[in-house]
Amino acid sequence: MWGRANMAAVILLLGWVCVFARGEASNAEMSLADVEAEAILEKATTWLWSQRDKDAGWGNDTHRVLLALRLGNLTRDDNIPPAPVLELQLSAKQMELEIVLLLWRHREVGFSPVRLARYTLALNALCMDPRQFHGHDLIGTLQHHEPPTDYEFAVATLAACSAQAHVRKRQIRRLLDIANAAQDHNVDTVAMVILALRCIVQDHRHRNLHHFVRKPSIGLAHQQRLDGSFGDLHTTALAMQALEEVENEPANNWNRSAALAWLSSRQRQDGSFDGDVRTTAEAVLGVAPRGLATIRALDCGQGLTDSSPPRLTTSNDITAPENHSEVLIALTSGSNTSALITEPAGTSTPVLVNVTYTLWVGSNVNETYSLTLTAPKNETFYGVMVMAAEMSTHFEFAASEWPNGHYVHTLAGYKEEPLSYHYWLLYRLPSPPEPASPPGNQLVAPGGVDDLQISEGEHYLFWYKKL
Ligand SMILES: *[C@@H]1O[C@H](CO)[C@@H](O)[C@H](O)[C@H]1NC(C)=O
Ligand SMILES: *[C@@H]1O[C@H](CO)[C@@H](O)[C@H](O)[C@H]1NC(C)=O
Ligand SMILES: *[C@@H]1O[C@H](CO)[C@@H](O)[C@H](O)[C@H]1NC(C)=O
Ligand SMILES: *[C@@H]1O[C@H](CO)[C@@H](O)[C@H](O)[C@H]1NC(C)=O
Ligand SMILES: *[C@@H]1O[C@H](CO)[C@@H](O)[C@H](O)[C@H]1NC(C)=O
Ligand SMILES: *[C@@H]1O[C@H](CO)[C@@H](O)[C@H](O)[C@H]1NC(C)=O
Ligand SMILES: *[C@@H]1O[C@H](CO)[C@@H](O)[C@H](O)[C@H]1NC(C)=O
Ligand SMILES: *[C@@H]1O[C@H](CO)[C@@H](O)[C@H](O)[C@H]1NC(C)=O
């Protein structure tokens, strides 16, 4: 029903349904609702495109609009999505710039976990891995911050789950606590918690939680008002997504047609809702065949776009660790500024390459350490770090282990401090780093420490700096 090519046929059919079978078969009513949703969607997305600015963005709502346009253009069963159209990719580039700015200018704009979460949801929907955002693990950063409100907490957890990151038991417990006391929370919070839980139960390890979603969903369904809405536009669109996902359950407890009719009555002639970009993008998500809870199920495959990351971990990856364990490499040996490691001769002699590995501490680079290492070509940078830790105490590090690799948070005795925005950033440089001309963002390493394979003449820099 959702394929656009079929629309003409559906609309023709609709005529017949109206004339001959009005209100009879429930199947006919299904198509009526879908046709209504499609009509709202079509007009709203056309309006959103018309509002795009010269920078290919939508002001401070670029991420919301990208998410809405992307999800609005996928079918319900389309788990292997096509690459985003070029125009969407162009706007995605604009969003990437915004994210880099957010990471760098947080002091002026203020760091907001929920904003970061929304960015990562959009990245995921566009098949870009937020855990490898130009070498930065945005989900790791997100998981370091405990959002203050229950609503924001649910958004952040939904974002982590959508990125197929590990959601901790403690986080799931907090969601379930909210769901079980739904009467004490507003409709937005309950709907967002349901969306997060619906994402989590897609993980084979949490299938058993399915029935915990049922009760709050039915409770939410009962919040529908006589006019078909669940409150304002924002709340209604959110509730529709939360209920939409329910597999053949509360379908009987709420009236989707009535909600759609209400939305349709609120849509302006030009296709917008209140003439507002954000509200319109939210409404699109409410009527789109796929809502926020389905982002995790998208299987982006390989080589979708030139900017797309390596394949995301699939949800049935049974080898993913159940917990988030700490690896501490703490081998004490003499520290030195230059050393050489020779690999034991293997069965075939490996090609050896030289790389330098430097640590800078502080935005003003008040401490530096440097090593030159010889290692087999294609060794991972993580392997180099382990060697360096054996050579010098300054290079000892601590990392947390995630399904997608190591996240290094401590080096040279300095631990990342998300609260004061101190992070270790990894750069890969064509020449040795010079504090007098520090590297720019474009030189941030293009992957995590486990993904980077070393080659001759590369210079790695880990820089502890305030973002
Ligand atoms: C987003 O932009 C709109 C219009 O430019 C402005 O009214 C609004 O305050 C901005 N919101 C935030 C969170 O910056
Ligand atoms: C929507 O998707 C179809 C193919 O699935 C594509 O041809 C079309 O250009 C897309 N439109 C937008 C606006 O993304
Ligand atoms: C749902 O709402 C529509 C529109 O308000 C109404 O025509 C229909 O009878 C309702 N369906 C049920 C099952 O209540
Ligand atoms: C946590 O992970 C570590 C390392 O993978 C493993 O040894 C340990 O048994 C795990 N603990 C639990 C409770 O799963
Ligand atoms: C570096 O190693 C050399 C030779 O092993 C040694 O003589 C020197 O003292 C070391 N330097 C430091 C700073 O430990
Ligand atoms: C690496 O550096 C050492 C010492 O400077 C040198 O002897 C060796 O030839 C270099 N290896 C490569 C592959 O350039
Ligand atoms: C260097 O800067 C870091 C971070 O600003 C600070 O914690 C550290 O104490 C400084 N070290 C020295 C030797 O000044
Ligand atoms: C390193 O990797 C590249 C590409 O993955 C491959 O072509 C090359 O043969 C590898 N080199 C060694 C020494 O394994």
Side-chain angles (χ1 to χ4, degrees):
M1 274 309 152
W2 282 98
R4 291 197 188 206
N6 291 334
M7 278 308 300
V10 172
I11 288 165
L12 269 179
L13 186 73
L14 175 64
W16 286 95
V17 169
C18 290
V19 173
F20 297 110
R22 207 167 174 198
E24 268 198 10
S26 63
N27 277 344
E29 209 160 334
M30 261 307 282
S31 3
L32 279 171
D34 284 352
V35 169
E36 176 120 53
E38 180 73 10
I40 296 172
L41 191 60
E42 190 90 43
K43 279 162 68 185
T45 53
T46 305
W47 183 79
L48 284 172
W49 278 112
S50 77
Q51 298 298 305
R52 192 163 78 151
D53 61 30
K54 279 206 217 73
D55 297 334
W58 286 265
N60 52 19
D61 289 316
T62 301
H63 56 297
R64 291 173 196 269
V65 177
L66 277 172
L67 186 59
L69 290 175
R70 174 65 163 167
L71 293 182
N73 197 24
L74 297 176
T75 65
R76 201 171 316 211
D77 313 312
D78 204 358
N79 275 341
I80 302 180
V85 290
L86 216 55
E87 285 301 307
L88 221 46
Q89 290 185 33
L90 188 64
S91 297
K93 287 278 168 230
Q94 180 62 25
M95 179 177 73
E96 286 183 59
L97 282 174
E98 270 182 40
I99 299 173
V100 169
L101 279 176
L102 176 80
L103 294 174
W104 283 78
R105 288 182 52 231
H106 66 91
R107 282 173 74 189
E108 295 148 65
V109 297
F111 184 82
S112 153
V114 77
R115 188 165 178 91
L116 183 60
R118 291 188 188 284
Y119 278 128
T120 69
L121 283 167
L123 285 172
N124 262 125
L126 291 161
C127 291
M128 290 183 276
D129 188 349
R131 293 180 303 177
Q132 299 182 18
F133 180 75
H134 301 284
H136 206 97
D137 179 0
L138 299 180
I139 298 295
T141 303
L142 191 58
Q143 297 272 58
H144 274 119
H145 292 79
E146 182 96 6
T149 71
D150 288 333
Y151 178 80
E152 293 184 342
F153 170 75
V155 176
T157 310
L158 172 65
C161 172
S162 299
Q164 304 197 354
H166 179 62
V167 176
R168 294 172 211 157
K169 293 225 163 62
R170 186 174 54 75
Q171 293 174 291
I172 296 177
R173 264 199 302 274
R174 182 167 167 190
L175 291 176
L176 293 176
D177 285 346
I178 301 166
N180 287 334
Q183 69 283 358
D184 299 337
H185 297 274
N186 62 32
V187 177
D188 289 4
T189 304
V190 174
M192 194 52 85
V193 165
I194 290 172
L195 286 168
L197 286 171
R198 287 201 193 297
C199 176
I200 288 167
V201 299
Q202 291 166 32
D203 184 333
H204 68 281
R205 289 167 296 187
H206 300 309
R207 287 271 148 75
N208 55 332
L209 298 177
H210 229 285
H211 65 278
F212 284 109
V213 186
R214 204 186 137 88
K215 202 179 115 200
S217 296
I218 292 172
L220 178 61
H222 285 151
Q223 298 290 319
Q224 188 171 24
R225 301 180 181 181
L226 281 177
D227 64 5
S229 78
F230 289 81
D232 63 11
L233 276 166
H234 165 82
T235 304
T236 303
L238 207 54
M240 288 176 75
Q241 288 175 78
L243 294 171
E244 181 60 22
E245 287 307 311
V246 185
E247 284 156 20
N248 61 43
E249 276 175 13
N252 297 326
N253 296 312
W254 72 294
N255 186 335
R256 180 159 180 260
S257 302
L260 286 167
W262 182 81
L263 276 182
S264 185
S265 74
R266 294 293 309 271
Q267 190 170 29
R268 290 189 183 174
Q269 205 66 45
D270 61 8
S272 77
F273 287 82
D274 295 350
D276 181 65
V277 167
R278 178 180 299 189
T279 310
T280 306
E282 282 170 351
V284 163
L285 286 181
V287 298
R290 300 189 76 105
L292 288 171
T294 69
I295 295 173
R296 182 190 171 98
L298 295 177
D299 178 357
C300 286
Q302 272 169 315
L304 264 183
T305 67
D306 56 347
S307 60
S308 75
R311 189 185 175 79
L312 300 179
T313 332
T314 56
S315 55
N316 52 7
D317 180 3
I318 295 173
T319 59
E322 180 65 38
N323 59 24
H324 152 184
S325 62
E326 293 287 308
V327 189
L328 187 63
I329 306 288
L331 294 156
T332 331
S333 69
S335 77
N336 219 318
T337 51
S338 175
L340 182 79
I341 281 196
T342 315
E343 279 294 289
T347 43
S348 63
T349 46
V351 179
L352 294 176
V353 298
N354 289 336
V355 296
T356 71
Y357 174 21
T358 304
L359 302 180
W360 283 0
V361 178
S363 300
N364 302 325
V365 193
N366 56 15
E367 289 176 47
T368 71
Y369 305 96
S370 193
L371 287 176
T372 301
L373 297 103
T374 305
K377 182 169 165 54
N378 289 357
E379 172 66 273
T380 64
F381 183 65
Y382 183 78
V384 169
M385 291 183 69
V386 172
M387 288 181 200
E390 289 168 2
M391 289 159 64
S392 160
T393 50
H394 291 120
F395 287 82
E396 288 171 6
F397 67 93
S400 35
E401 211 175 332
W402 294 90
N404 62 329
H406 293 91
Y407 182 79
V408 176
H409 56 68
T410 304
L411 264 163
Y414 291 95
K415 190 174 197 312
E416 286 194 342
E417 285 171 17
L419 286 179
S420 64
Y421 309 103
H422 280 83
Y423 287 94
W424 281 104
L425 288 191
L426 178 61
Y427 297 80
R428 187 169 67 185
L429 309 170
S431 57
E434 280 295 333
S437 57
N441 269 348
Q442 74 283 7
L443 292 170
V444 165
V449 292
D450 304 276
D451 309 314
L452 293 168
Q453 294 186 314
I454 61 167
S455 296
E456 181 60 33
E458 288 176 341
H459 303 272
Y460 290 87
L461 167 67
F462 248 126
W463 187 2
Y464 186 72
K465 64 187 298 184
K466 188 158 183 161
L467 289 186

